[in-house]
Protein backbone atom coordinates (compact mmCIF):
# COMPACT_ATOMS: atom_id res chain seq x y z
CA UNK A 1 0.00 0.00 0.00
CA UNK A 2 1.52 3.34 -1.03
CA UNK A 3 2.02 5.99 1.58
CA UNK A 4 -0.48 8.82 1.93
CA UNK A 5 1.99 11.31 0.45
CA UNK A 6 2.58 9.23 -2.69
CA UNK A 7 -1.15 8.61 -3.08
CA UNK A 8 -1.84 12.37 -2.94
CA UNK A 9 0.90 13.00 -5.54
CA UNK A 10 -0.59 10.41 -7.89
CA UNK A 11 -4.08 11.84 -7.43
CA UNK A 12 -2.70 15.26 -8.30
CA UNK A 13 -0.99 13.84 -11.41
CA UNK A 14 -4.28 12.29 -12.51
CA UNK A 15 -6.18 15.54 -11.87
CA UNK A 16 -3.61 17.63 -13.78
CA UNK A 17 -3.57 15.24 -16.72
CA UNK A 18 -7.38 15.09 -16.77
CA UNK A 19 -7.49 18.90 -17.03
CA UNK A 20 -4.89 18.79 -19.81
CA UNK A 21 -6.98 16.21 -21.71
CA UNK A 22 -10.15 18.29 -21.28
CA UNK A 23 -8.38 21.44 -22.53
CA UNK A 24 -6.85 19.69 -25.55
CA UNK A 25 -8.52 19.60 -28.96
CA UNK A 26 -6.61 16.47 -29.89
CA UNK A 27 -4.13 13.97 -28.55
CA UNK A 28 -2.13 10.99 -29.75
CA UNK A 29 -0.89 7.96 -27.78
CA UNK A 30 2.26 6.34 -29.16
CA UNK A 31 4.51 3.39 -28.43
CA UNK A 32 7.97 4.95 -28.36
CA UNK A 33 9.92 1.72 -27.83
CA UNK A 34 13.18 1.46 -29.72
CA UNK A 35 13.91 5.09 -30.56
CA UNK A 36 17.22 6.62 -29.65
CA UNK A 37 17.67 9.53 -27.26
CA UNK A 38 18.88 11.66 -30.16
CA UNK A 39 15.75 10.92 -32.21
CA UNK A 40 13.54 11.50 -29.18
CA UNK A 41 15.19 14.87 -28.56
CA UNK A 42 14.59 15.93 -32.19
CA UNK A 43 10.99 14.78 -31.98
CA UNK A 44 10.38 16.68 -28.75
CA UNK A 45 11.90 19.85 -30.26
CA UNK A 46 9.63 19.60 -33.32
CA UNK A 47 6.56 19.02 -31.13
CA UNK A 48 7.51 21.91 -28.83
CA UNK A 49 7.85 24.23 -31.87
CA UNK A 50 4.28 23.31 -32.85
CA UNK A 51 2.98 23.97 -29.28
CA UNK A 52 2.32 20.28 -28.69
CA UNK A 53 2.82 18.90 -25.19
CA UNK A 54 4.61 15.53 -25.30
CA UNK A 55 5.40 13.41 -22.27
CA UNK A 56 5.78 9.84 -21.13
CA UNK A 57 3.19 8.81 -18.56
CA UNK A 58 2.28 5.62 -16.77
CA UNK A 59 -0.59 3.77 -18.40
CA UNK A 60 -2.53 3.69 -15.12
CA UNK A 61 -2.25 7.49 -14.78
CA UNK A 62 -3.37 8.05 -18.39
CA UNK A 63 -6.25 5.60 -17.93
CA UNK A 64 -7.54 7.25 -14.77
CA UNK A 65 -7.11 10.74 -16.21
CA UNK A 66 -8.94 9.76 -19.40
CA UNK A 67 -11.76 8.30 -17.32
CA UNK A 68 -11.93 11.50 -15.24
CA UNK A 69 -11.94 13.61 -18.43
CA UNK A 70 -14.75 11.50 -19.93
CA UNK A 71 -12.60 9.89 -22.64
CA UNK A 72 -13.60 6.28 -23.12
CA UNK A 73 -12.22 3.77 -25.60
CA UNK A 74 -8.51 4.21 -24.88
CA UNK A 75 -8.27 1.45 -22.26
CA UNK A 76 -7.28 -1.27 -24.76
CA UNK A 77 -4.15 0.56 -25.97
CA UNK A 78 -2.78 1.42 -22.53
CA UNK A 79 -0.21 -1.37 -22.50
CA UNK A 80 3.56 -1.21 -22.85
CA UNK A 81 5.55 1.99 -23.29
CA UNK A 82 3.18 4.92 -23.84
CA UNK A 83 3.81 8.58 -24.58
CA UNK A 84 1.08 11.19 -24.94
CA UNK A 85 1.09 14.22 -27.24
CA UNK A 86 -1.67 16.81 -26.84
CA UNK A 87 -2.48 20.16 -28.41
CA UNK A 88 -4.83 22.86 -27.19
CA UNK A 89 -4.63 24.83 -30.45
CA UNK A 90 -4.05 22.70 -33.55
CA UNK A 91 -6.23 19.67 -34.18
CA UNK A 92 -3.85 17.93 -36.59
CA UNK A 93 -0.35 18.98 -35.42
CA UNK A 94 0.26 16.05 -33.02
CA UNK A 95 -0.99 13.52 -35.57
CA UNK A 96 1.00 14.98 -38.49
CA UNK A 97 4.30 15.24 -36.61
CA UNK A 98 4.07 11.81 -34.98
CA UNK A 99 2.89 10.07 -38.17
CA UNK A 100 5.78 11.60 -40.12
CA UNK A 101 8.18 10.43 -37.41
CA UNK A 102 6.65 6.93 -37.42
CA UNK A 103 7.28 6.63 -41.18
CA UNK A 104 11.03 6.81 -40.65
CA UNK A 105 11.14 4.86 -37.37
CA UNK A 106 9.54 1.40 -37.71
CA UNK A 107 9.45 0.70 -33.95
CA UNK A 108 7.59 3.94 -33.20
CA UNK A 109 3.86 3.22 -33.51
CA UNK A 110 0.72 5.30 -33.17
CA UNK A 111 -1.59 3.43 -30.78
CA UNK A 112 -4.69 5.65 -30.70
CA UNK A 113 -5.76 9.14 -29.77
CA UNK A 114 -8.66 11.48 -29.33
CA UNK A 115 -10.19 14.28 -31.35
CA UNK A 116 -12.33 16.89 -29.61
CA UNK A 117 -13.12 14.61 -26.68
CA UNK A 118 -13.84 11.45 -28.69
CA UNK A 119 -11.51 8.45 -28.82
CA UNK A 120 -9.98 7.62 -32.21
CA UNK A 121 -8.16 4.51 -33.39
CA UNK A 122 -4.61 4.54 -34.68
CA UNK A 123 -5.94 4.25 -38.23
CA UNK A 124 -8.16 7.32 -37.73
CA UNK A 125 -5.24 9.30 -36.32
CA UNK A 126 -3.08 8.35 -39.33
CA UNK A 127 -5.92 9.40 -41.67
CA UNK A 128 -6.10 12.74 -39.85
CA UNK A 129 -2.35 13.16 -40.35
CA UNK A 130 -2.74 12.70 -44.12
CA UNK A 131 -5.19 15.58 -44.48
CA UNK A 132 -3.82 18.56 -46.39
CA UNK A 133 -3.11 21.75 -44.41
CA UNK A 134 -6.04 23.98 -43.44
CA UNK A 135 -5.05 26.66 -45.98
CA UNK A 136 -5.19 24.13 -48.85
CA UNK A 137 -8.62 22.86 -47.74
CA UNK A 138 -9.96 26.44 -47.52
CA UNK A 139 -8.52 27.25 -50.97
CA UNK A 140 -10.17 24.16 -52.45
CA UNK A 141 -13.51 25.05 -50.87
CA UNK A 142 -13.32 28.63 -52.13
CA UNK A 143 -12.28 27.39 -55.58
CA UNK A 144 -15.32 25.12 -55.61
CA UNK A 145 -17.56 28.03 -54.67
CA UNK A 146 -15.88 30.35 -57.17
CA UNK A 147 -16.14 28.00 -60.19
CA UNK A 148 -19.94 28.39 -60.78
CA UNK A 149 -19.66 32.17 -60.43
CA UNK A 150 -16.80 32.30 -62.94
CA UNK A 151 -18.80 30.16 -65.36
CA UNK A 152 -21.81 32.47 -65.01
CA UNK A 153 -19.66 35.55 -65.72
CA UNK A 154 -18.20 33.83 -68.82
CA UNK A 155 -21.70 33.07 -70.14
CA UNK A 156 -22.78 36.68 -69.56
CA UNK A 157 -19.64 37.95 -71.32
CA UNK A 158 -20.26 35.63 -74.26
CA UNK A 159 -23.86 36.85 -74.59
CA UNK A 160 -22.72 40.49 -74.43
CA UNK A 161 -19.99 39.80 -76.99
CA UNK A 162 -22.57 38.19 -79.29
CA UNK A 163 -24.88 41.19 -78.90
CA UNK A 164 -22.03 43.62 -79.72
CA UNK A 165 -21.12 41.61 -82.84
CA UNK A 166 -24.76 41.55 -83.95
CA UNK A 167 -25.18 45.31 -83.37
CA UNK A 168 -21.92 45.96 -85.30
CA UNK A 169 -23.18 43.87 -88.20
CA UNK A 170 -26.49 45.78 -88.25
CA UNK A 171 -24.70 49.13 -88.07
CA UNK A 172 -22.37 48.19 -90.95
CA UNK A 173 -25.31 46.94 -93.01
CA UNK A 174 -27.24 50.20 -92.48
CA UNK A 175 -24.25 52.41 -93.28
CA UNK A 176 -23.58 50.52 -96.51
Amino acid sequence: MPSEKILVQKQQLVADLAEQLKASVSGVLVDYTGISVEDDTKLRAELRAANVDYSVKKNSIIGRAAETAGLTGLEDVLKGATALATSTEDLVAPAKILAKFAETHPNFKIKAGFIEGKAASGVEIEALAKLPPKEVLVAKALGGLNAPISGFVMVLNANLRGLVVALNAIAEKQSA
Side-chain angles (χ1 to χ4, degrees), residues 32-128:
Y32 62 91
T33 307
I35 63 169
S36 68
V37 173
E38 182 181 346
D39 288 340
D40 188 51
T41 303
K42 288 178 185 174
L43 174 63
R44 286 174 185 267
E46 189 176 349
L47 289 165
R48 206 173 7 253
N51 289 326
V52 175
D53 182 57
Y54 178 80
S55 58
V56 174
K57 305 279 187 195
K58 284 187 165 188
N59 289 325
S60 58
I61 300 288
I62 295 172
R64 288 202 172 109
E67 186 180 319
T68 303
L71 280 170
T72 57
L74 299 176
E75 301 83 16
D76 296 339
V77 297
L78 294 176
K79 295 173 180 72
T82 305
L84 172 67
T86 59
S87 176
T88 57
E89 302 166 0
D90 192 345
L91 195 71
V92 295
K96 277 195 180 291
I97 294 168
L98 294 173
K100 184 177 85 173
F101 188 81
E103 287 174 5
T104 57
H105 298 82
N107 292 337
F108 190 86
K109 292 181 180 51
I110 294 177
K111 292 180 170 187
F114 64 92
I115 303 165
E116 294 183 338
K118 304 266 188 294
S121 70
V123 173
E124 291 170 320
I125 295 297
E126 289 173 7
L128 177 67

Side-chain angles (χ1 to χ4, degrees), residues 10-33:
K10 286 184 178 182
Q11 288 171 340
Q12 187 60 46
L13 281 172
V14 169
D16 291 345
L17 185 56
E19 286 304 312
Q20 179 182 340
L21 294 175
K22 285 179 190 174
S24 299
V25 292
S26 69
V28 179
L29 295 166
V30 295
D31 180 350
Y32 62 91
T33 307

